Amino acid sequence: AEADHSLPWVLAVALLDGDLNPAQYEPERIIADDVQQLMRTVTITPDDSFSDRFPQEMPARLTITLDDGSEDGNVFTAEESAYDGFFTQPLDWAGARAKFDALTTPFADQGLRDEISDIVHGLENHRTSDLTAALARVNTTRA
């Protein structure tokens, strides 16, 4: 229950898995040795200048220093002021559909996902009952 509130954990699992979806929140993934080991190397450093830019931006800087035996190590840095889905960088339909599929695949087959997606995408042409009927067919447990 606390994994999503742990920035070191979120960074560690996202770096290892390249993703942050329900699979990463499975109990065995949360406590996995690779995640826990990497998590212990994460240092969070607040930056008042970043805080001052919120809520108009959601800035973050990530610096990774590899312990590869070289004198100074290899250092990689990335900085962003928003993320896909933030109000200044909204998801397009393809991005929303990809996220929908990633989150719902364990609960609905391709046909049902397509049906729900088509209804939502053209919601102005459908009745609420069309959507609720499709949603009622979604598995409530993983398939």
Side-chain angles (χ1 to χ4, degrees):
E2 295 178 13
D4 63 340
H5 299 305
S6 168
L7 192 51
W9 178 83
V10 167
L11 290 170
V13 77
L15 285 168
L16 289 166
D17 293 0
D19 220 343
L20 191 60
N21 277 313
Q24 283 67 46
Y25 289 95
E26 292 292 329
E28 54 276 355
R29 189 65 188 128
I30 291 170
I31 63 170
D33 289 341
D34 62 339
V35 177
Q36 293 296 311
Q37 183 178 1
L38 184 56
M39 183 180 84
R40 287 190 288 274
T41 69
V42 174
T43 303
I44 306 299
T45 306
D47 185 325
D48 288 339
S49 70
F50 281 16
S51 297
D52 292 344
R53 291 163 50 193
F54 179 82
Q56 295 80 19
E57 295 180 14
M58 185 68 77
R61 179 183 309 115
L62 178 65
T63 302
I64 298 174
T65 304
L66 299 180
D67 184 10
D68 62 358
S70 63
E71 246 180 66
D72 58 353
N74 287 316
V75 179
F76 303 91
T77 299
E79 186 174 319
E80 295 288 338
S81 61
Y83 56 89
D84 289 344
F86 192 62
F87 77 92
T88 61
Q89 202 169 308
L91 282 179
D92 60 11
W93 182 251
R97 177 60 198 258
K99 185 170 185 174
F100 173 76
D101 285 335
L103 294 172
T104 61
T105 294
F107 306 98
D109 65 26
Q110 182 70 49
L112 183 54
R113 291 193 318 272
D114 288 344
E115 180 182 347
I116 293 168
S117 177
D118 290 345
I119 292 169
V120 170
H121 196 239
L123 198 54
E124 66 278 2
N125 301 316
H126 293 276
R127 298 168 48 119
T128 304
S129 60
D130 296 337
L131 180 58
T132 57
L135 292 173
R137 296 196 321 273
V138 172
N139 239 328
T140 56
T141 59
R142 291 178 179 264

